[in-house]
Amino acid sequence: MRRTVIAGNWKMNMTPKATRAFITELAPMVAGLDKCDIVLCVPYVDIATAVEAAAGTNIHIGAENVHFEKSGAFTGEISAEMLTEIGTEYVVIGHSERRTYFGETDATVNLRTKAALAAGLKVILCLGEVKEERLSGITNEIVAMQTKLDLAGISAEELKNVIIAYEPVWAIGTGLTATPEQADETCGVIRSVIAELYGAAAAEEITIQYGGSMNDANAAELLSKPNVDGGLIGGASLKTDKFTTIVKAAN
Ligand code: PEP
């Protein structure tokens, strides 16, 4: 049975001090809610503090990006080994904000995914269509293409450490949410592409999250859909009560 994963993406929010306070408050609120995996993906400088604060709890810590080279002249970048050495378990790759503002492409998403998996990180691989693509009726083609390009050369064994986050770009941080039916349908399309690439068993096993203005009010309905195995949550992951409500909905 595939796992439901509720992951927060803090983006460029929270200092180390705020991180410690947040996790200290959140831990007892989500204790024992073990029917889903709980992950907080946090800014690089918060990771060490987050790992320390989350020790002994059911909260796992992730980064928001990773570079694809092991080391070298890449000023400002962070390698997979740097992340694992400080206790990072997950990493978000290919978030639409990286694709839109920082020139991320399917080719670099693929390289980053390979490097992260080789280092033992679990990858939350983000993909999704922009508004014009949805309005043009080409969402299925777009997510199929992204899935194929982003996973090119990744083995079935490696895929076991990949979670796909379907995030329609028009729904991220906008307050616009895909309907539960749209989320279910597109996550289903991604699952069928996984079946095509890796077989039916792998498609059944892979966790596919929905992300895009998921919050405490709409999570239960989105998560009730058969192809939606969790959520990647931005804004609502910055409040312990809202995030806990989403974790409870997943449970
Ligand atoms: C995200 O950052 O991946 C996201 C889905 O953000 P929000 O929940 O704020 O739309």
Side-chain angles (χ1 to χ4, degrees), residues 9 11 95 97 126 167 171-174 211-214 232-236:
N9 172 28
K11 314 190 190 212
H95 192 278
E97 287 149 20
C126 303
E167 298 210 306
I172 300 175
T174 58
S213 298
M214 187 186 273
L232 182 58
I233 298 123

